[in-house]
């Protein structure tokens, strides 16, 4: 029997056609409470969505249910200048569809099994990343239809965690991951000299990929006020995008990279806590995202020239990709309880964009270059068992100016890409 992926997710209240975490990949993660503090969560559990940060953290949260909703607006642009073909130059809006929305869901239940050990079960459903570019025009160097790409990555994670002697927690989550992709406007790339699988590069509609991975987590209560935590997620193997075997390397393979994170939180006042997280993601481990610049046939850092070599054509095991560098995220946030009913939060996140200046032309399809985010949020306890939370995040405008980005075979010149974003979210939580 053929399994229909989108209806499966709708059963748990997710609509993949409306899903977003933020357009900037891994810019923030999940939980309206944590997002108010720039998405710190490895060592500071606040609600049932903590399983998406650190499955061990579920032992620190009482039995509760959380439902959240996020709205984001993007401003993304591409500017091409210096091309030998006059009609190529210009400034182009990459975010014709500027608004996007996302739900999130979390549930935690404690099961006591002994005097020295507590077991906690949890489940969380959320959007891990979403990228969408929709240009109003075609790009003659790429194709004849309007250029655009949409990528969605959904995650459903049941988890189990154990806490020993009220100090040390360990946990594991099993992550069911679903990806959806659509690519348009690359007809001039969908030819034998550019791809190994003609007819499987562009304008093939939506295509799905799925896989199962795990996340390991640990959380240590050093004192009543100080916690440290760490997580590790190995690389997750995903099924191939069958309709886009000529677009992604390894015949449509787009695995989820491994990542490692660590965090610390400190309650420096009875009513205030500060937390810090660091996360490392080696994007270049993924064939679809890397683009080695050192090879005997490469005489420039331009990302497209290797594609003229048969072994580096799109869809090959060593085919050209988006040329991302590895990325480290730094997040810091604090909260303060003004009274028994109201808690306020603020945070800051920094990560150097993974997009190199030489790779801007291929990344016109992504335009994810925000490096700095600030966030704020609050929680209002409506009753003893229910609360409402909200947050706002601003991704500051950033531009990556191309350098040797467009080869002479495509008219030369440079491609500059820029991006900024505003995000708001609201959530309801209930203890039970």
């Amino acid at each position: 029997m053929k399994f229909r992926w989108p209806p499966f997710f709708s059963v748990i209240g997710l609509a993949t056609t409306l899903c977003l975490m933020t357009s900037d990949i891994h810019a923030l993660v999940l939980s309206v409470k944590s997002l108010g503090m720039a998405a710190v969560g490895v060592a500071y559990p606040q609600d049932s969505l903590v399983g998406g940060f650190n499955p061990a953290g579920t032992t620190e949260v009482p039995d509760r249910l959380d439902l959240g909703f996020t709205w984001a607006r993007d401003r993304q642009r591409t500017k091409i200048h210096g091309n030998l073909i006059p009609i190529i130059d210009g400034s182009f809006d990459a975010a014709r569809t500027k608004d996007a929305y996302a739900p999130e869901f979390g549930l935690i239940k404690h099961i006591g099994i002994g005097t020295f050990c507590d077991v906690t079960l949890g489940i969380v459903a959320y959007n891990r990343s979403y990228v969408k570019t929709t240009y109003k025009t075609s790009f003659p160097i790429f194709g004849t239809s309007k250029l655009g790409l949409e990528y969605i990555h959904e995650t459903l994670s049941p988890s189990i965690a154990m806490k020993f002697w009220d100090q040390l927690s360990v946990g594991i989550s099993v992550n069911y991951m679903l990806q959806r992709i659509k690519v348009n406007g690359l007809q001039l790339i969908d030819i034998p000299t550019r791809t190994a699988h003609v007819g499987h590069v562009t304008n093939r509609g939506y295509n799905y990929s799925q896989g199962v991975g795990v996340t390991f987590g640990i959380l240590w209560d050093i004192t009543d006020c100080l916690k440290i935590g760490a997580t590790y997620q190995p690389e997750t193997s995903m099924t191939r995008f069958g309709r886009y075997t000529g677009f992604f390397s390894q015949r449509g393979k787009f695995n989820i990279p491994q990542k490692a994170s660590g965090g610390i939180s400190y309650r420096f006042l009875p009513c205030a806590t500060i937390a810090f997280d660091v996360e490392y993601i080696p994007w270049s481990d993924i064939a679809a995202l890397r683009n080695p610049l050192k090879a005997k046939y490469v005489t420039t850092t331009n990302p497209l020239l290797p594609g003229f070599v048969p072994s580096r054509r799109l869809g090959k095991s060593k085919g050209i990709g988006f040329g991302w560098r590895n990325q480290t995220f730094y997040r810091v946030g604090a909260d303060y309880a003004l009274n028994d009913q109201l808690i306020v939060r603020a945070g800051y996140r920094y990560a150097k964009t993974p997009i190199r200046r030489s790779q801007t032309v291929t990344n016109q399809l992504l335009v994810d270059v925000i490096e700095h985010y600030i966030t704020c949020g609050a929680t209002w306890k409506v009753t003893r068992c229910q609360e409402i939370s909200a947050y706002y995040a601003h991704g500051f405008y950033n531009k990556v100016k191309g350098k040797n980005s467009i080869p002479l075979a495509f008219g030369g010149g440079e491609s500059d890409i820029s991006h900024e974003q505003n995000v708001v979210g609201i959530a309801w939580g209930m203890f039970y």
Side-chain angles (χ1 to χ4, degrees), residues 79 89 93 98 120 123 210 240 261 312 335 419:
K79 182 180 180 180
D89 287 352
D93 185 0
K98 299 182 183 299
T120 306
I123 187 170
Q210 54 93 24
R240 287 183 169 87
S261 59
R312 295 294 306 280
D335 63 8
H419 186 198

Side-chain angles (χ1 to χ4, degrees), residues 102-166:
E104 60 184 19
F105 162 81
L107 182 69
I108 282 179
K109 178 63 179 178
H110 289 261
I111 304 174
I113 62 172
T115 57
F116 68 95
C117 178
D118 180 39
V119 176
T120 306
L121 303 178
I123 187 170
V124 59
Y126 63 100
N127 186 281
R128 190 175 291 248
S129 61
Y130 175 81
V131 179
K132 185 169 185 177
T133 54
T134 308
Y135 292 90
K136 297 180 181 179
T137 182
S138 63
F139 283 70
I141 62 174
F142 289 138
T144 55
S145 63
K146 295 177 181 178
L147 183 68
L149 177 146
E150 181 177 333
Y151 169 77
I152 291 175
H153 176 188
E154 292 287 337
T155 301
L156 174 66
S157 298
S159 64
I160 183 170
M162 303 180 69
K163 187 172 186 178
F164 301 94
W165 303 288
D166 273 342

Side-chain angles (χ1 to χ4, degrees), residues 23-60:
S23 292
D24 195 54
I25 294 178
H26 280 78
L28 305 171
V29 188
L30 73 158
S31 167
V32 167
K33 282 186 173 183
S34 294
L35 289 168
M37 298 172 63
V40 292
V42 176
Y44 190 37
Q46 298 189 72
D47 55 30
S48 60
L49 292 158
V50 67
F53 294 98
N54 183 353
T58 58
T59 62
E60 302 281 317

Side-chain angles (χ1 to χ4, degrees), residues 162-270:
M162 303 180 69
K163 187 172 186 178
F164 301 94
W165 303 288
D166 273 342
Q167 285 187 309
L168 182 65
S169 299
V170 295
I172 182 174
S173 65
V174 178
N175 310 315
Y176 171 75
M177 300 184 183
L178 173 70
Q179 299 178 111
R180 187 180 77 176
I181 189 76
K182 181 174 72 172
V183 182
N184 291 325
L186 298 178
Q187 289 86 355
L188 298 183
I189 307 297
D190 196 6
I191 56 178
T193 57
R194 301 296 290 152
T195 179
H197 305 282
V198 177
H200 292 79
V201 173
T202 187
N203 294 71
R204 296 298 308 276
Y206 289 112
N207 197 196
Y208 294 87
S209 170
Q210 54 93 24
V212 178
V214 296
T215 300
F216 305 98
I218 186 170
L219 183 65
W220 180 25
D221 297 343
I222 299 176
T223 69
D224 291 340
C225 300
L226 182 65
K227 304 178 190 293
I228 60 172
T231 68
Y232 175 68
Q233 175 188 292
E235 182 176 324
T236 301
S237 178
M238 305 293 287
T239 59
R240 287 183 169 87
F241 287 110
R243 296 183 182 179
Y244 293 99
T245 55
F247 179 72
F248 289 115
S249 300
Q250 299 178 332
R251 294 186 296 115
K253 193 81 167 173
F254 190 12
N255 288 347
I256 306 303
Q258 63 175 314
K259 64 176 183 176
S261 59
I264 184 170
S265 67
Y266 178 60
R267 192 173 72 245
F268 60 95
L269 292 174

